Amino acid sequence: MISLNFGSLSSQIGALAANYQELPRHIGKKHMMASMRRAIKAANGVARLRSNTPPVGTRRGRRRKGERRLFTGALRRAVTTRARWIGNNKTGAAVAGLGYKYGMESRKAIWHEFGTTRMAARRMMDQTFHEIRGPVASRLVEELRVGLERAAAELASGKNPGYKG
């Protein structure tokens, strides 16, 4: 999970976040969250989580000899990235994460991650987090720059003026 807000960061990412703060909030928030989602996708977060989702090493329904039949095709398809704004406009933060879509697949993922009384924990989210942590951090600055350029272009075009009531 990645979390950014407009004011409390330092270094290169903090300078970019300060530039987002100068934009109208509705445009700045939208492009900051999109940049965070793109950073996760660019680091192959979705593909790596799918590959770590059990049963590992099987595709198209084929399983190794002697392996129990597990129905996890839907679980692999449920992998997604999600971004949202938490808090109010001035003190809130953009949060982006990698995980599974809500519903039964989300429950199934929790069972696989932490285990049950009948099933050992697989720790697939933890493993994926450690695999993509570095690539996401290195890609985030570039994606924030791209998002800032797109936000400036959107502001200049006047196509999203916001609420002026």
Side-chain angles (χ1 to χ4, degrees):
M1 182 169 73
I2 305 170
S3 151
L4 295 176
N5 59 14
F6 287 126
S8 68
L9 295 170
S10 60
S11 79
Q12 200 171 21
I13 293 178
L16 286 168
N19 289 335
Y20 276 98
Q21 189 173 8
E22 295 172 8
L23 296 167
R25 292 291 178 172
H26 67 285
I27 294 175
K29 290 186 328 187
K30 176 176 82 170
H31 286 281
M32 184 182 277
M33 290 187 300
S35 297
M36 293 166 63
R37 266 194 317 267
R38 282 194 312 269
I40 292 172
K41 287 182 180 180
N44 290 330
V46 174
R48 288 187 184 183
L49 182 55
R50 280 185 182 154
S51 69
N52 289 336
T53 300
V56 177
T58 60
R59 298 288 186 265
R60 294 179 305 235
R62 296 182 182 156
R63 287 165 176 75
R64 294 185 197 113
K65 186 176 179 181
E67 187 175 346
R68 274 187 44 199
R69 186 167 185 186
L70 298 172
F71 298 101
T72 57
L75 184 58
R76 285 183 179 209
R77 286 188 300 272
V79 173
T80 187
T81 60
R82 188 170 175 217
R84 55 185 288 204
W85 187 264
I86 297 177
N88 58 20
N89 274 340
K90 291 191 179 210
T91 61
V95 177
L98 175 68
Y100 298 90
K101 292 179 184 172
Y102 59 89
M104 193 60 200
E105 303 312 318
S106 167
R107 287 184 183 181
K108 221 188 285 184
I110 292 170
W111 298 334
H112 281 292
E113 180 71 17
F114 300 109
T116 63
T117 57
R118 297 180 181 189
M119 180 173 66
R122 304 241 176 134
R123 308 305 290 178
M124 57 202 176
M125 289 294 294
D126 194 35
Q127 180 182 356
T128 303
F129 172 73
H130 289 298
E131 288 176 6
I132 69 168
R133 181 174 47 191
V136 168
S138 64
R139 189 72 183 152
L140 184 60
V141 173
E142 181 60 34
E143 292 298 336
L144 284 171
R145 281 191 191 124
V146 169
L148 190 59
E149 291 172 7
R150 290 179 182 175
E154 181 179 339
L155 184 61
S157 73
K159 72 175 183 178
N160 189 1
Y163 177 69
K164 302 219 182 209

